Amino acid sequence: MPDPRAGGPARVDGGEPAAGPAHDDGAEAAADRTPDLRLAGLAVAAWLTALTGLHLTAPTMALLAGSAAVLAGLLAGHLLGAVGRPVPPVRRYGWIAVAALLGVVCGATATAAQLHVRDAAALRVLVDERVRVTAELVLRDDPRPVRGAPGRPVTLLVAAELVVLTDPEGGRLRTPVRLLVLATDPAWRGLLPGQRLTAQGRLAAPRGGDLTAAVLTVTGPPIRHGSPPWLQRAAGTLRAGLHRACAPLPPEQGGLLPGLVVGDTSRLPATVEEDFRATGMTHLNAVSGSNVAIVVGAVLLLARWARAGPRTAAVLCGFALVGFVVLVRPSPSVVRAATMGAIGLAALAVGRPRAALPALAAAVAVLVLVDPELAGDAGFALSVLATAGLLLLAPGWRDALRRRGVPVGLAEALAVPAAAQLACGPVVAGISGTVSLVAVPANLLVVPAIAPATVLGVAAAVVSPVWPAGAEFAAWLASWPAWWLVTVARVGARLPAGTLPWPGGVPGALLLAGLTLGLLVATRRPLVRRLVAVGAAAVVLGTLPVRLLASGWPPDGWVVVACAVGQGDALVLPVASGRAVVVDAGPEPSAVDGCLRRLGVREVSLLVVSHFHADHVGGVAGVARGRRVTTVLTPAWSEPVAGRSLVTAAAGAARRVVPAAGWSYRVGGVELVALGPPYPMRGTRSDPNNNSLVLRATVAGVRILLPGDAETEEQRALLDRVPPGVLRAEVLKVAHHGSAYQDPAFLDAVRPAVALVPVGVDNDYGHPSPVILDRLARSGTRVLRTDTDGDVAVVLRSGVLAVVGRGLPPGRR
C-alpha cells in the first residue's frame, strides 16, 4: 500500500482516492462562506488602544506599547517552538492573540507619537495662560454652525491645522498640531477646506479626548492667503450648483437632497432633522460608505449592462469613486467613507465576503494608525459597523430569504438595511440613550427611494455648471423619492412608543452589543430561533398595546405642562382631547413639536406669545407644524423685529389679537385673563421682557400665573395696579427662567404651592438663581425645573395638586 505520507492521496481497494480534506468540495465551499477574521484581532486591538490613548499621555502609551511588544515576542516564541507538535485547541488561537498584541503595539505607538506633538510644552504654556495670538492655519473641514443661545450670534466650529503661531512678544512656534477655531464673524462662512489663512484670537484648553491641541476663539474675520486647492474649488462649484438646482423645491425636499448627496444639512428644516433622528434615519444625512456604494454601484450596473469586462468596470468605478469624493470634498471623513464604501462594494461585486473582511480589518487598522482620532469618532464607528454588517450578516440573511421564496431584489433590499441597523444599534443607543422600535421598518420602507434620490441628486450637481435647466429637472425628479423619505420619517416619528429608553453612554452601548451578539449566536440553532421569534412576538403583542394605551404621559388630570425645550419657555394648558392652549414656543421648532406630540395635541385653540425674544418664539413653526392654530395672542411691544417676523410667518391665516389689561378669553375648560403689562414700560433693564404679557389661567379651578419674562420693573407695576388677591395662584411659572430679577413682594403676593422653572441644561446665564430657588423652597413651594425633571406636569387628583416629571433622556442629562 502506498505510504499516505508520500504526498499523494491514499487509495483503497478500487484505487479511487479516499475522501479527505484536500478534496472535500463541500468543506471548501463552507470554508469560503466562513468569515475570515484573522486580521480582525489586530484591527480591533489597534482601534481600542487608540481610543484609550486619546484620554492618556504619550509616556503612558509608550510604556503600553513596550509591554505589549514584550508579551507578543514571548508568545510568538512559544508558538514557534511548538511547531511540529500536536496543536491543542488553546494553542490554535495563539496567533490570534499575537495579532491582537501587535495591534496594541501599533495603536499605542501611533497614538503616543501624535500625543507627543499635541502636548508640546511650548504650546501648552501659551494655552494655560490663555494668550492672545496670531495663527496661520490651514482648514481641515467645512465650517459648521452650532446651535447657541437664542439671540446670540451663530458660532462656527472650524477644524484647522496650525502652521505658525505668533505670540504677543513676537515669538514664533511652528508645530503641526490641530486647532479648533470658534468663530462668530460671518466672513468665516463659505470657507473651503485647504484654505490657508491668518486669524487672531485667544487660546484656551480643549475638552480632551481627541488630538486637538488648543481652542482658538476668534471674533474678527480671517485674512485669506491664496486660494484653496483646485479639488476643493471644484467641489464648491458643484455643491453651489446643487443648491441652486434645489432652490425651487419645497423646503423639506430641497433641504434634504444636499444632505443625501453631499452631507450638507445647512438648509434642512429642524423638524425634518428631528423626525430623521426619531426614526433612526439620521445616517442618510451624512456622507457614509452607503453613499459611495450607491453611486459607484450605479456605475457598475451600467457597466455590466453594457457588457464591459471586469477591468473596464473596475476603471469606470474608480473614476466614479474619485469624482464622488471630489463632489463631497476630500475631507478625512469623506476619505473614510469612500474606503468603507469601496470595501462593501467590492464584497458585493465579487460575492466573496471572506476576502472582503480582511480588507475591512486592514483598512480600519491603517486608518486608525494614520489618524488615531478616528478611534473616538462616532461616524467612523458607524461606517465600520455598517460595512461589517453588510459583509457578515447581509449575505446570510439574503440567502435565507431566497431559500424561502423571496425574490432576489426584495431579499437584498430587506437584508442590507436590517443588517446595517442591527450592527449600528449599540452605537446609536449609546449616543441617544434610546432604542428605536421604528428604525428598522422605517429604513426598510425608504430603501427603494435612497438610490434614486442620491443618483439623481449627484446628476443634478454634475450637470449644474454647464446645464442649469437640466440640473433643476434632475433635482425635481429627485424630489419625489426625497418626499417619500420625509413622509416616512414624519409618520414614524409621530407613532406612539416609537422609541424605548435605554442606558446611555459606553455601558448602554456595551449592554446592547452583548445582547445582540448573544442573540446572533444563539439563533443559529433552529429551536432557539423559534423561541426568540415567539418571545419577541409575545413582548410586542403584550407590552406594546399597554404602552400605546397607557403610556403614562400625559398623566391623568393634568392642568398644565411645562415643556423641556432647552433655554426657553413653552407651556401647555388642556382644552379638550387633542386641543390645547400653548403659551410660548421655546427656542427651536423640534423641541416644542415633540412635547405637543407627546401630549397628543392636534389643534391649538390659542397660541400665546408673551414677548418676541427668540427663546420664546424660535419654535413657533413647531407649534404650527401639522396643527391648526386658531388664534394668536401677541403683546403690543413689537420688538425684537426678528421675533415678530417669525410669529407673523408661522401664524398664517390665524386670527391675531393684541390684548390690553383686563382682556379675558374662555375655551373648553381654560379661562384666561390678561393682567399686564399695566402700561407700556420704557427705559427698563430689558423693555421686551418688561412688556411681557402676564396672564392668569384657570384650569379645573386651579389658578396658574404666567408672567412671561417679566422682571422686577413689571412685577412692581403689577403690584401697584392689580387689586390685592388677583395675583394669587396655586401654580406659578417663574418669570425669566428663574433669574435673579424677581421682586420678593411679587413672589409673596402669588404664594404658589407649585413653581415651574423652564430652563436649559448648563445654560450660560446662571439660571435659575439659587437665591430665588431657596426663597421659594423656604416658603413651602414645590419647585420643578425642566433642566432636571424634563417635561413637568401639574395634576389635580381628588382635589389635591400633585406634580409629575417625565424625566430627561440620558443624552441630555
Side-chain angles (χ1 to χ4, degrees), residues 301-383:
L301 288 176
L302 288 174
R304 287 182 174 178
W305 176 78
R307 300 181 181 277
R311 292 185 179 179
T312 303
V315 171
L316 292 175
C317 289
F319 279 120
L321 181 62
V322 173
F324 183 72
V325 170
V326 170
L327 172 63
V328 298
R329 293 183 179 159
S331 63
S333 61
V334 173
V335 174
R336 176 204 73 210
T339 304
M340 296 300 133
I343 291 170
L345 183 66
L348 293 180
V350 302
R352 292 290 299 272
R354 178 177 169 82
L357 275 172
L360 173 64
V364 169
V366 170
L367 288 171
V368 168
L369 295 180
V370 171
D371 185 4
E373 191 172 271
L374 285 176
D377 189 325
F380 176 72
L382 291 173
S383 289

Side-chain angles (χ1 to χ4, degrees), residues 754-780:
V754 177
L756 305 178
V757 186
V759 65
V761 177
D762 297 330
N763 65 85
D764 298 330
Y765 304 97
H767 296 163
S769 166
V771 174
I772 299 302
L773 295 182
D774 182 65
R775 183 180 183 87
L776 289 167
R778 283 190 287 107
S779 66

Side-chain angles (χ1 to χ4, degrees), residues 162-423:
L162 178 64
V163 179
V164 180
L165 191 72
T166 305
D167 61 31
E169 299 177 357
R172 295 169 66 86
L173 177 65
R174 296 178 181 271
T175 179
V177 296
R178 298 178 183 181
L179 295 184
L180 180 64
V181 180
L182 302 182
T184 55
D185 193 286
W188 287 85
R189 289 183 178 272
L191 292 177
L192 300 179
Q195 174 70 58
R196 195 181 183 104
L197 54 84
T198 299
Q200 292 184 343
R202 190 172 298 279
L203 292 175
R207 66 179 182 180
D210 56 23
L211 295 179
T212 302
V215 176
L216 183 67
T217 303
V218 178
T219 56
I223 301 174
R224 305 190 192 195
H225 303 301
S227 301
W230 71 268
L231 273 177
Q232 301 292 356
R233 296 200 304 272
T237 300
L238 295 176
R239 291 162 71 103
L242 177 61
H243 278 295
R244 287 193 299 270
C246 293
L249 301 177
E252 294 180 329
Q253 292 94 295
L256 177 61
L257 272 178
L260 289 174
V261 177
V262 297
D264 184 355
T265 59
S266 59
R267 301 185 183 181
L268 184 67
T271 50
V272 177
E273 185 177 2
E274 179 68 19
D275 288 345
F276 271 58
R277 188 180 299 114
T279 52
M281 294 165 54
T282 306
H283 61 93
L284 299 178
N285 291 328
V287 177
S288 65
S290 62
N291 300 72
V292 178
I294 287 171
V295 173
V296 183
V299 175
L300 180 63
L301 288 176
L302 288 174
R304 287 182 174 178
W305 176 78
R307 300 181 181 277
R311 292 185 179 179
T312 303
V315 171
L316 292 175
C317 289
F319 279 120
L321 181 62
V322 173
F324 183 72
V325 170
V326 170
L327 172 63
V328 298
R329 293 183 179 159
S331 63
S333 61
V334 173
V335 174
R336 176 204 73 210
T339 304
M340 296 300 133
I343 291 170
L345 183 66
L348 293 180
V350 302
R352 292 290 299 272
R354 178 177 169 82
L357 275 172
L360 173 64
V364 169
V366 170
L367 288 171
V368 168
L369 295 180
V370 171
D371 185 4
E373 191 172 271
L374 285 176
D377 189 325
F380 176 72
L382 291 173
S383 289
V384 173
L385 291 174
T387 307
L390 180 69
L391 301 178
L392 283 171
L393 303 177
W397 292 0
R398 174 198 60 203
D399 295 342
L401 290 171
R402 291 179 62 184
R403 286 195 299 269
R404 288 164 174 77
V406 178
V408 177
L410 180 59
E412 192 83 42
L414 292 173
V416 169
Q421 192 67 38
L422 186 69

